[in-house]
PDB file of all heavy atoms in Angstrom:
ATOM      1  N   THR A  71    -103.439 -44.084 -16.913  1.00 98.00           N
ATOM      2  CA  THR A  71    -102.066 -43.573 -16.980  1.00 98.00           C
ATOM      3  C   THR A  71    -101.746 -42.860 -15.669  1.00 98.00           C
ATOM      4  O   THR A  71    -102.588 -42.787 -14.780  1.00 98.00           O
ATOM      5  CB  THR A  71    -101.885 -42.631 -18.193  1.00 98.00           C
ATOM      6  OG1 THR A  71    -100.501 -42.362 -18.374  1.00 98.00           O
ATOM      7  CG2 THR A  71    -102.633 -41.306 -18.026  1.00 98.00           C
ATOM      8  N   TRP A  75     -95.716 -41.917 -14.987  1.00 98.00           N
ATOM      9  CA  TRP A  75     -95.371 -42.609 -16.249  1.00 98.00           C
ATOM     10  C   TRP A  75     -95.083 -41.579 -17.343  1.00 98.00           C
ATOM     11  O   TRP A  75     -94.064 -41.641 -18.024  1.00 98.00           O
ATOM     12  CB  TRP A  75     -96.509 -43.549 -16.701  1.00 98.00           C
ATOM     13  CG  TRP A  75     -96.100 -44.465 -17.828  1.00 98.00           C
ATOM     14  CD1 TRP A  75     -95.655 -45.750 -17.710  1.00 98.00           C
ATOM     15  CD2 TRP A  75     -96.053 -44.155 -19.239  1.00 98.00           C
ATOM     16  NE1 TRP A  75     -95.339 -46.269 -18.953  1.00 98.00           N
ATOM     17  CE2 TRP A  75     -95.572 -45.308 -19.908  1.00 98.00           C
ATOM     18  CE3 TRP A  75     -96.357 -43.035 -20.008  1.00 98.00           C
ATOM     19  CZ2 TRP A  75     -95.397 -45.370 -21.292  1.00 98.00           C
ATOM     20  CZ3 TRP A  75     -96.169 -43.094 -21.387  1.00 98.00           C
ATOM     21  CH2 TRP A  75     -95.699 -44.247 -22.017  1.00 98.00           C
ATOM     22  N   ARG A  79     -91.338 -41.105 -18.876  1.00 97.00           N
ATOM     23  CA  ARG A  79     -91.151 -41.631 -20.238  1.00 97.00           C
ATOM     24  C   ARG A  79     -91.016 -40.555 -21.297  1.00 97.00           C
ATOM     25  O   ARG A  79     -90.476 -40.808 -22.370  1.00 97.00           O
ATOM     26  CB  ARG A  79     -92.331 -42.525 -20.642  1.00 97.00           C
ATOM     27  CG  ARG A  79     -92.537 -43.740 -19.784  1.00 97.00           C
ATOM     28  CD  ARG A  79     -91.484 -44.790 -20.068  1.00 97.00           C
ATOM     29  NE  ARG A  79     -91.685 -45.936 -19.202  1.00 97.00           N
ATOM     30  CZ  ARG A  79     -91.728 -47.188 -19.616  1.00 97.00           C
ATOM     31  NH1 ARG A  79     -91.553 -47.476 -20.885  1.00 97.00           N
ATOM     32  NH2 ARG A  79     -91.922 -48.167 -18.763  1.00 97.00           N
ATOM     33  N   THR A  80     -91.581 -39.345 -21.025  1.00 98.00           N
ATOM     34  CA  THR A  80     -91.623 -38.345 -22.102  1.00 98.00           C
ATOM     35  C   THR A  80     -91.104 -36.962 -21.704  1.00 98.00           C
ATOM     36  O   THR A  80     -90.719 -36.191 -22.581  1.00 98.00           O
ATOM     37  CB  THR A  80     -93.078 -38.130 -22.601  1.00 98.00           C
ATOM     38  OG1 THR A  80     -93.812 -37.432 -21.583  1.00 98.00           O
ATOM     39  CG2 THR A  80     -93.769 -39.444 -22.915  1.00 98.00           C
ATOM     40  N   CYS A 154     -94.022 -34.078 -38.320  1.00 98.00           N
ATOM     41  CA  CYS A 154     -93.239 -33.271 -37.370  1.00 98.00           C
ATOM     42  C   CYS A 154     -92.041 -32.580 -38.012  1.00 98.00           C
ATOM     43  O   CYS A 154     -91.464 -31.676 -37.409  1.00 98.00           O
ATOM     44  CB  CYS A 154     -92.772 -34.128 -36.201  1.00 98.00           C
ATOM     45  SG  CYS A 154     -94.132 -34.867 -35.325  1.00 98.00           S
ATOM     46  N   ARG A 193    -104.152 -44.665 -24.631  1.00 97.00           N
ATOM     47  CA  ARG A 193    -103.201 -44.031 -23.698  1.00 97.00           C
ATOM     48  C   ARG A 193    -101.788 -43.938 -24.260  1.00 97.00           C
ATOM     49  O   ARG A 193    -100.986 -43.126 -23.813  1.00 97.00           O
ATOM     50  CB  ARG A 193    -103.170 -44.780 -22.373  1.00 97.00           C
ATOM     51  CG  ARG A 193    -102.533 -46.157 -22.453  1.00 97.00           C
ATOM     52  CD  ARG A 193    -102.408 -46.799 -21.095  1.00 97.00           C
ATOM     53  NE  ARG A 193    -101.769 -48.116 -21.220  1.00 97.00           N
ATOM     54  CZ  ARG A 193    -101.396 -48.849 -20.208  1.00 97.00           C
ATOM     55  NH1 ARG A 193    -101.606 -48.425 -18.973  1.00 97.00           N
ATOM     56  NH2 ARG A 193    -100.828 -50.019 -20.392  1.00 97.00           N
ATOM     57  N   SER A 194    -101.475 -44.808 -25.259  1.00 96.00           N
ATOM     58  CA  SER A 194    -100.098 -44.793 -25.769  1.00 96.00           C
ATOM     59  C   SER A 194     -99.830 -43.582 -26.661  1.00 96.00           C
ATOM     60  O   SER A 194     -98.683 -43.234 -26.911  1.00 96.00           O
ATOM     61  CB  SER A 194     -99.789 -46.092 -26.516  1.00 96.00           C
ATOM     62  OG  SER A 194    -100.518 -46.140 -27.713  1.00 96.00           O
ATOM     63  N   VAL A 197    -101.440 -39.073 -24.601  1.00 98.00           N
ATOM     64  CA  VAL A 197    -100.694 -38.302 -23.600  1.00 98.00           C
ATOM     65  C   VAL A 197     -99.575 -37.463 -24.234  1.00 98.00           C
ATOM     66  O   VAL A 197     -98.960 -36.641 -23.555  1.00 98.00           O
ATOM     67  CB  VAL A 197    -100.089 -39.233 -22.514  1.00 98.00           C
ATOM     68  CG1 VAL A 197    -101.182 -40.057 -21.836  1.00 98.00           C
ATOM     69  CG2 VAL A 197     -99.016 -40.159 -23.084  1.00 98.00           C
ATOM     70  N   LEU A 232     -95.588 -44.652 -38.035  1.00 96.00           N
ATOM     71  CA  LEU A 232     -96.294 -43.450 -37.571  1.00 96.00           C
ATOM     72  C   LEU A 232     -97.203 -42.971 -38.699  1.00 96.00           C
ATOM     73  O   LEU A 232     -96.719 -42.573 -39.754  1.00 96.00           O
ATOM     74  CB  LEU A 232     -95.259 -42.375 -37.220  1.00 96.00           C
ATOM     75  CG  LEU A 232     -95.747 -41.039 -36.674  1.00 96.00           C
ATOM     76  CD1 LEU A 232     -96.589 -41.207 -35.436  1.00 96.00           C
ATOM     77  CD2 LEU A 232     -94.561 -40.139 -36.373  1.00 96.00           C
ATOM     78  N   GLY A 244     -94.072 -46.724 -30.946  1.00 95.00           N
ATOM     79  CA  GLY A 244     -93.236 -45.794 -30.194  1.00 95.00           C
ATOM     80  C   GLY A 244     -91.800 -46.235 -30.020  1.00 95.00           C
ATOM     81  O   GLY A 244     -90.877 -45.443 -30.230  1.00 95.00           O
ATOM     82  N   ARG A 245     -91.628 -47.513 -29.645  1.00 95.00           N
ATOM     83  CA  ARG A 245     -90.264 -47.958 -29.324  1.00 95.00           C
ATOM     84  C   ARG A 245     -89.358 -47.923 -30.556  1.00 95.00           C
ATOM     85  O   ARG A 245     -88.214 -47.482 -30.491  1.00 95.00           O
ATOM     86  CB  ARG A 245     -90.330 -49.359 -28.737  1.00 95.00           C
ATOM     87  CG  ARG A 245     -89.377 -49.536 -27.581  1.00 95.00           C
ATOM     88  CD  ARG A 245     -89.511 -50.886 -26.958  1.00 95.00           C
ATOM     89  NE  ARG A 245     -90.585 -50.940 -25.968  1.00 95.00           N
ATOM     90  CZ  ARG A 245     -90.791 -52.000 -25.182  1.00 95.00           C
ATOM     91  NH1 ARG A 245     -90.039 -53.060 -25.284  1.00 95.00           N
ATOM     92  NH2 ARG A 245     -91.774 -51.984 -24.294  1.00 95.00           N
ATOM     93  N   LEU A 247     -89.849 -46.121 -33.284  1.00 96.00           N
ATOM     94  CA  LEU A 247     -89.685 -44.720 -33.696  1.00 96.00           C
ATOM     95  C   LEU A 247     -88.608 -44.026 -32.889  1.00 96.00           C
ATOM     96  O   LEU A 247     -87.842 -43.220 -33.410  1.00 96.00           O
ATOM     97  CB  LEU A 247     -90.983 -43.971 -33.430  1.00 96.00           C
ATOM     98  CG  LEU A 247     -91.934 -43.710 -34.565  1.00 96.00           C
ATOM     99  CD1 LEU A 247     -93.043 -42.816 -34.048  1.00 96.00           C
ATOM    100  CD2 LEU A 247     -91.251 -43.044 -35.745  1.00 96.00           C
ATOM    101  N   ALA A 281     -90.456 -34.069 -29.197  1.00 98.00           N
ATOM    102  CA  ALA A 281     -91.311 -35.275 -29.206  1.00 98.00           C
ATOM    103  C   ALA A 281     -91.196 -36.027 -27.892  1.00 98.00           C
ATOM    104  O   ALA A 281     -92.173 -36.598 -27.406  1.00 98.00           O
ATOM    105  CB  ALA A 281     -90.934 -36.193 -30.361  1.00 98.00           C
ATOM    106  N   ASN A 282     -89.983 -36.052 -27.346  1.00 98.00           N
ATOM    107  CA  ASN A 282     -89.746 -36.805 -26.112  1.00 98.00           C
ATOM    108  C   ASN A 282     -88.412 -36.334 -25.543  1.00 98.00           C
ATOM    109  O   ASN A 282     -87.405 -36.312 -26.261  1.00 98.00           O
ATOM    110  CB  ASN A 282     -89.691 -38.308 -26.460  1.00 98.00           C
ATOM    111  CG  ASN A 282     -89.578 -39.172 -25.222  1.00 98.00           C
ATOM    112  OD1 ASN A 282     -88.868 -38.833 -24.277  1.00 98.00           O
ATOM    113  ND2 ASN A 282     -90.283 -40.282 -25.221  1.00 98.00           N
ATOM    114  N   ARG A 284     -86.429 -37.764 -23.653  1.00 98.00           N
ATOM    115  CA  ARG A 284     -85.387 -38.804 -23.671  1.00 98.00           C
ATOM    116  C   ARG A 284     -84.728 -38.874 -25.048  1.00 98.00           C
ATOM    117  O   ARG A 284     -83.533 -39.143 -25.160  1.00 98.00           O
ATOM    118  CB  ARG A 284     -85.982 -40.158 -23.280  1.00 98.00           C
ATOM    119  CG  ARG A 284     -86.384 -40.215 -21.792  1.00 98.00           C
ATOM    120  CD  ARG A 284     -86.770 -41.625 -21.390  1.00 98.00           C
ATOM    121  NE  ARG A 284     -87.956 -42.060 -22.089  1.00 98.00           N
ATOM    122  CZ  ARG A 284     -88.146 -43.265 -22.618  1.00 98.00           C
ATOM    123  NH1 ARG A 284     -87.206 -44.186 -22.533  1.00 98.00           N
ATOM    124  NH2 ARG A 284     -89.265 -43.568 -23.230  1.00 98.00           N
ATOM    125  N   ILE A 285     -85.501 -38.635 -26.108  1.00 98.00           N
ATOM    126  CA  ILE A 285     -84.916 -38.585 -27.461  1.00 98.00           C
ATOM    127  C   ILE A 285     -83.954 -37.390 -27.532  1.00 98.00           C
ATOM    128  O   ILE A 285     -82.830 -37.504 -28.033  1.00 98.00           O
ATOM    129  CB  ILE A 285     -86.019 -38.444 -28.539  1.00 98.00           C
ATOM    130  CG1 ILE A 285     -86.891 -39.695 -28.578  1.00 98.00           C
ATOM    131  CG2 ILE A 285     -85.406 -38.150 -29.913  1.00 98.00           C
ATOM    132  CD1 ILE A 285     -88.064 -39.614 -29.559  1.00 98.00           C
ATOM    133  N   ASN A 309     -95.909 -32.708 -27.640  1.00 98.00           N
ATOM    134  CA  ASN A 309     -95.469 -32.722 -29.033  1.00 98.00           C
ATOM    135  C   ASN A 309     -96.504 -31.976 -29.871  1.00 98.00           C
ATOM    136  O   ASN A 309     -97.636 -32.432 -30.013  1.00 98.00           O
ATOM    137  CB  ASN A 309     -95.342 -34.193 -29.480  1.00 98.00           C
ATOM    138  CG  ASN A 309     -94.911 -34.343 -30.936  1.00 98.00           C
ATOM    139  OD1 ASN A 309     -94.937 -33.388 -31.702  1.00 98.00           O
ATOM    140  ND2 ASN A 309     -94.538 -35.552 -31.313  1.00 98.00           N
ATOM    141  N   MET A 339     -87.739 -35.083 -36.706  1.00 98.00           N
ATOM    142  CA  MET A 339     -88.065 -36.375 -37.307  1.00 98.00           C
ATOM    143  C   MET A 339     -89.555 -36.587 -37.116  1.00 98.00           C
ATOM    144  O   MET A 339     -90.087 -36.225 -36.056  1.00 98.00           O
ATOM    145  CB  MET A 339     -87.291 -37.485 -36.597  1.00 98.00           C
ATOM    146  CG  MET A 339     -87.186 -38.793 -37.329  1.00 98.00           C
ATOM    147  SD  MET A 339     -88.613 -39.890 -37.263  1.00 98.00           S
ATOM    148  CE  MET A 339     -88.909 -40.056 -35.528  1.00 98.00           C
ATOM    149  N   GLY A 340     -90.215 -37.113 -38.132  1.00 97.00           N
ATOM    150  CA  GLY A 340     -91.652 -37.322 -37.979  1.00 97.00           C
ATOM    151  C   GLY A 340     -92.202 -38.326 -38.958  1.00 97.00           C
ATOM    152  O   GLY A 340     -91.455 -39.015 -39.667  1.00 97.00           O
ATOM    153  N   GLY A 341     -93.537 -38.400 -38.999  1.00 97.00           N
ATOM    154  CA  GLY A 341     -94.233 -39.351 -39.866  1.00 97.00           C
ATOM    155  C   GLY A 341     -93.788 -39.207 -41.309  1.00 97.00           C
ATOM    156  O   GLY A 341     -93.473 -38.124 -41.769  1.00 97.00           O
TER     157      GLY A 341
HETATM  158  N1  ACO B 288     -99.523 -44.672 -19.309  1.00 61.28           N
HETATM  159  C1  ACO B 288     -99.116 -45.805 -18.680  1.00 61.28           C
HETATM  160  N2  ACO B 288     -98.592 -46.855 -19.337  1.00 61.28           N
HETATM  161  C2  ACO B 288     -98.458 -46.739 -20.684  1.00 61.28           C
HETATM  162  C3  ACO B 288     -98.876 -45.608 -21.390  1.00 61.28           C
HETATM  163  C4  ACO B 288     -99.425 -44.537 -20.651  1.00 61.28           C
HETATM  164  N3  ACO B 288     -99.838 -43.383 -21.217  1.00 61.28           N
HETATM  165  N4  ACO B 288     -98.630 -45.786 -22.719  1.00 61.28           N
HETATM  166  C5  ACO B 288     -98.065 -47.003 -22.835  1.00 61.28           C
HETATM  167  N5  ACO B 288     -97.968 -47.591 -21.612  1.00 61.28           N
HETATM  168  C6  ACO B 288     -97.423 -48.885 -21.265  1.00 61.28           C
HETATM  169  C7  ACO B 288     -97.388 -49.824 -22.446  1.00 61.28           C
HETATM  170  O1  ACO B 288     -98.636 -50.489 -22.581  1.00 61.28           O
HETATM  171  C8  ACO B 288     -96.277 -50.788 -22.047  1.00 61.28           C
HETATM  172  O2  ACO B 288     -96.796 -51.735 -21.133  1.00 61.28           O
HETATM  173  P1  ACO B 288     -96.290 -53.291 -21.189  1.00 61.28           P
HETATM  174  O3  ACO B 288     -94.801 -53.205 -20.922  1.00 61.28           O
HETATM  175  O4  ACO B 288     -97.080 -53.907 -20.106  1.00 61.28           O
HETATM  176  O5  ACO B 288     -96.623 -53.743 -22.578  1.00 61.28           O
HETATM  177  C9  ACO B 288     -95.306 -49.904 -21.265  1.00 61.28           C
HETATM  178  O6  ACO B 288     -96.055 -48.723 -20.890  1.00 61.28           O
HETATM  179  C10 ACO B 288     -94.082 -49.480 -22.063  1.00 61.28           C
HETATM  180  O7  ACO B 288     -94.513 -48.990 -23.330  1.00 61.28           O
HETATM  181  P2  ACO B 288     -93.462 -48.545 -24.429  1.00 61.28           P
HETATM  182  O8  ACO B 288     -94.234 -48.130 -25.642  1.00 61.28           O
HETATM  183  O9  ACO B 288     -92.417 -49.573 -24.580  1.00 61.28           O
HETATM  184  O10 ACO B 288     -92.831 -47.279 -23.713  1.00 61.28           O
HETATM  185  P3  ACO B 288     -91.603 -46.369 -24.183  1.00 61.28           P
HETATM  186  O11 ACO B 288     -90.644 -46.265 -23.095  1.00 61.28           O
HETATM  187  O12 ACO B 288     -91.101 -46.760 -25.536  1.00 61.28           O
HETATM  188  O13 ACO B 288     -92.302 -44.942 -24.318  1.00 61.28           O
HETATM  189  C11 ACO B 288     -93.092 -43.457 -26.044  1.00 61.28           C
HETATM  190  C12 ACO B 288     -93.334 -44.739 -25.249  1.00 61.28           C
HETATM  191  C13 ACO B 288     -93.176 -42.302 -25.092  1.00 61.28           C
HETATM  192  C14 ACO B 288     -94.178 -43.326 -27.109  1.00 61.28           C
HETATM  193  C15 ACO B 288     -91.694 -43.496 -26.700  1.00 61.28           C
HETATM  194  O14 ACO B 288     -91.498 -44.732 -27.320  1.00 61.28           O
HETATM  195  C16 ACO B 288     -91.494 -42.405 -27.726  1.00 61.28           C
HETATM  196  O15 ACO B 288     -91.397 -41.241 -27.411  1.00 61.28           O
HETATM  197  N6  ACO B 288     -91.352 -42.749 -29.025  1.00 61.28           N
HETATM  198  C17 ACO B 288     -91.060 -41.831 -30.101  1.00 61.28           C
HETATM  199  C18 ACO B 288     -92.168 -40.876 -30.412  1.00 61.28           C
HETATM  200  C19 ACO B 288     -91.737 -39.997 -31.575  1.00 61.28           C
HETATM  201  O16 ACO B 288     -90.600 -39.625 -31.708  1.00 61.28           O
HETATM  202  N7  ACO B 288     -92.610 -39.653 -32.468  1.00 61.28           N
HETATM  203  C20 ACO B 288     -92.149 -38.962 -33.664  1.00 61.28           C
HETATM  204  C21 ACO B 288     -92.699 -37.682 -33.842  1.00 61.28           C
HETATM  205  S1  ACO B 288     -94.446 -37.658 -33.801  1.00 61.28           S
HETATM  206  C22 ACO B 288     -95.049 -37.165 -35.386  1.00 61.28           C
HETATM  207  O17 ACO B 288     -94.375 -37.146 -36.393  1.00 61.28           O
HETATM  208  C23 ACO B 288     -96.543 -36.842 -35.452  1.00 61.28           C
END
Side-chain angles (χ1 to χ4, degrees):
T71 191
W75 191 96
R79 299 286 178 130
T80 71
C154 301
R193 70 175 181 172
S194 69
V197 303
L232 182 57
R245 220 176 275 188
L247 260 187
N282 185 320
R284 290 189 295 138
I285 294 177
N309 179 346
M339 198 280 306

